[in-house]
Amino acid sequence: MAVVKANAYGYGMVEIARAAVSAGATWLGVATLDEALAVRARLSQNIPILVLGYVAPEYLSVASRYNITVTGVSVEWIQEAARIVQQPFNFHLKIDTGLNRLGCKTIDEVRTVMTIISLNPNLNCTGIFTHFATSEDMQNKSYFHRQLASFYDFLDVIPNRTDKIIHCANSGATLYHPEKPFFDMVRLGKALMGPPNEALKYLIPFELQHTFSLHSILDVVKQLDANEKIGYGGEYMTTEKQWIGTVPIGYADGWHQQFKTSYVLVGGKRVPIVGRISMDQLTVALPQEYPVGTRVTFIGRQGNETIIADEIAQKANQPRSEVFSSLSNRLPRVYIQDGSVISIRNLILES
Ligand SMILES: *Cc1c(COP(=O)(O)O)cnc(C)c1O
């Protein structure tokens, strides 16, 4: 399963879904019914789609109409679904083995659900799954092992288990515990876009490449005198004559204030962001004059210098997925295959 929720972690849901399906993914995972409908409308294949998050039972008729599989999140949810649905729908039952968000928490709850299902032919349970809390923690694997063992205990009470798709592994489990037999399917989100964590790259059983770069340009370049303030609040003050470049990316594009201490690449060199990041632009301190239009790289490579997303994430003390998934629709996405541009999507114009 290719997990393409949250605009495929910021990369662009439809393009990534398409690429994943053409590369062999047989399921797509999303977080909401709206995301599922958007994928269903844009992809020609009638590929199975699972909504991994909550879908209100009153929308089950919509899910059913568009052949979208939803998640059974609790006994209460199943009861409500059984009470109101008028047509068959498919769902995967989520088991809570320790993440303590969605899912049945006890064997008794699962037995109750199985009884409700057996009495209502509209409730078509086609899968069983759980989700790990610590699959990327290589220092302490015990909680991961406990969750996996607990999942086996739950599976023992599922009738007709072989008719159902059993799954539990996210990127961390799949990449860092490759010795485990993960049942019928793995659910890969962040691993689709490259090695999720530089420090753990050596554990991955096959090579993964970074797939993403973020570039802009210098749109205005000017030389300031010493003691001039830059940006809102005048937070930065020049100490000597200094070349300053303005770049048309700001926090509304997802380049948050917390990324202020990070660098960008200009002319193959690392240069600092100076002053407060504005909604639509930011400023960088340049070692010399550069022409307007010069490329500014936020994530990616220029000459011998590279900035990877992990560096930004670490400085901002955020997981890498948080950096990517907050990159907004205002940034046009350019898709490249074998060195050539295959499509450019402007998600604002298309929405
Ligand atoms: C987001 C999500 C995934 C994918 O997680 P990654 O760690 O990005 O691979 C898998 N399963 C569920 C239930 C999810 O919500």
Side-chain angles (χ1 to χ4, degrees), residues 270-322:
R270 279 173 179 260
V271 308
I273 294 172
V274 292
R276 203 183 287 171
I277 294 173
S278 309
M279 183 180 276
D280 317 303
Q281 39 196 311
L282 53 78
T283 38
V284 296
L286 301 170
Q288 63 186 77
E289 186 178 9
Y290 282 100
V292 164
T294 299
R295 175 174 270 220
V296 176
T297 296
F298 288 79
I299 297 172
R301 189 185 183 88
Q302 280 195 11
N304 295 326
E305 284 284 358
T306 306
I307 296 175
I308 59 169
D310 294 47
E311 177 183 329
I312 313 292
Q314 265 158 27
K315 281 211 171 122
N317 200 17
Q318 288 182 354
R320 201 191 62 171
S321 299
E322 206 165 319

Side-chain angles (χ1 to χ4, degrees), residues 167-186:
H167 50 108
C168 63
N170 56 356
S171 295
T174 308
L175 296 180
Y176 308 134
H177 301 270
E179 75 289 353
K180 296 273 187 262
F182 283 126
F183 309 97
D184 305 322
M185 172 163 84
V186 296

Side-chain angles (χ1 to χ4, degrees), residues 234-303:
E235 279 182 17
Y236 178 84
M237 192 152 77
T238 54
T239 53
E240 54 192 336
K241 256 180 180 274
Q242 190 163 46
W243 285 101
I244 296 294
T246 305
V247 184
I249 282 190
Y251 62 76
D253 299 290
W255 211 257
H256 298 306
Q257 218 58 251
Q258 301 97 287
F259 305 165
K260 196 167 62 177
T261 57
S262 66
Y263 288 79
V264 299
L265 303 179
V266 179
K269 298 191 185 80
R270 279 173 179 260
V271 308
I273 294 172
V274 292
R276 203 183 287 171
I277 294 173
S278 309
M279 183 180 276
D280 317 303
Q281 39 196 311
L282 53 78
T283 38
V284 296
L286 301 170
Q288 63 186 77
E289 186 178 9
Y290 282 100
V292 164
T294 299
R295 175 174 270 220
V296 176
T297 296
F298 288 79
I299 297 172
R301 189 185 183 88
Q302 280 195 11

